[in-house]
Amino acid sequence: MDTLTDRQQEILDFIRERIEGDGVPPSLAEIAQAFRFADPSSAQHFVAALEAKGALRREPGKRRNLRLVNDDGRSASRPGRRVPLVGRVAAGLPILAQENIERSVLLDPDMFRARADFALRVQGDSMRDAGILDGDWVIVARSAEARSGQIVVARLDEEVTLKRFKRNRGSIELWPENPAYPVLRVDPRKHAFAIEGILVGLLRGSRA
């Protein structure tokens, strides 16, 4: 890769940070806004210069088509996504409240079958027979809905729980994967209930 000017390096670093943080590269308009360019064409000029120097490559047919280039001249692999790791959830707080987030981790997008929005640390062994152990991190895609049979992160009153979601003749049940724990039957007249997300992957505690 050819030597970059200071401004070109700043823009390349910005693109890298956005890819690592958001999982997607910034648009030209976002680059222009970040560097206070009066016209997005100025961002286009810098991107073209970075491409000419071998620091970037544009992927045809994509809206956000900027790709970093490795030292060997090949495009970097599909960008990962940095997701927050949520530890113990404080009662009454939104699951992604800053008080609940321990840190963040960059995930390989090829590891999971769907978009990952956050990781939640498992506490207890109620999902043991599904292979989800105490101290593991479940990878979750945010969703307010789920199909019967999916494992979900749900809020029941003030508590957040990981269970298998089932509909039974119109009623809602949250099933553990350990016979030592009871099935939670949700009565909307008595309980505040919401699905926070759907399980899409798992990391053993030592890998997070």
Side-chain angles (χ1 to χ4, degrees):
M1 183 174 69
D2 293 342
T3 302
L4 306 181
T5 67
D6 290 344
R7 177 56 66 141
Q8 288 168 353
Q9 186 64 56
E10 289 174 0
I11 292 173
L12 182 64
D13 290 343
F14 172 73
I15 293 170
R16 179 178 289 108
E17 288 169 4
R18 285 293 303 272
I19 289 174
E20 290 180 353
D22 300 339
V24 294
S27 66
L28 293 175
E30 288 167 342
I31 295 172
Q33 182 179 25
F35 289 90
R36 299 183 178 179
F37 296 147
D39 190 330
S41 64
S42 298
Q44 169 67 33
H45 169 77
F46 278 102
V47 166
L50 288 168
E51 188 176 17
K53 290 187 174 183
L56 286 180
R57 183 169 294 160
R58 281 184 269 203
E59 188 173 334
K62 304 281 188 180
R63 280 188 62 247
R64 293 176 179 262
N65 63 353
L66 302 181
R67 298 292 179 263
L68 301 175
V69 174
N70 293 326
D71 291 339
D72 60 4
R74 296 181 180 179
S75 294
S77 60
R78 190 158 65 97
R81 178 172 175 79
R82 187 167 291 279
V83 301
L85 300 182
V86 179
R88 181 179 295 276
V89 178
L93 285 179
I95 200 164
L96 291 178
Q98 191 61 45
E99 293 89 335
N100 298 330
I101 297 173
E102 295 186 357
R103 53 192 174 90
S104 63
V105 64
L106 185 66
L107 297 178
D108 180 347
D110 295 324
M111 291 176 65
F112 308 108
R113 64 182 182 271
R115 175 187 172 96
D117 291 308
F118 64 92
L120 180 69
R121 179 155 49 88
V122 176
Q123 298 177 34
D125 62 353
S126 67
M127 298 300 287
R128 177 196 67 192
D129 294 346
I132 302 172
L133 309 179
D134 184 45
D136 287 347
W137 293 91
V138 288
I139 310 301
V140 182
R142 298 202 74 175
S143 176
E145 299 181 354
R147 298 191 307 274
S148 185
Q150 289 184 307
I151 295 177
V152 303
V153 173
R155 186 178 294 275
L156 184 60
D157 295 326
E158 295 298 312
E159 300 298 323
V160 171
T161 186
L162 178 74
K163 295 290 185 291
R164 192 173 296 279
F165 173 77
K166 292 187 179 181
R167 290 191 182 276
N168 185 12
R169 296 181 180 178
S171 66
I172 295 172
E173 298 176 343
L174 299 174
W175 282 68
E177 293 285 348
N178 183 336
Y181 292 81
V183 175
L184 302 177
R185 293 178 170 83
V186 181
D187 184 343
R189 297 169 299 179
K190 299 179 181 179
H191 302 290
F193 173 78
I195 294 173
E196 297 275 0
I198 299 168
L199 176 74
V200 296
L202 177 72
L203 290 176
R204 290 297 174 211
S206 61
R207 294 178 58 194

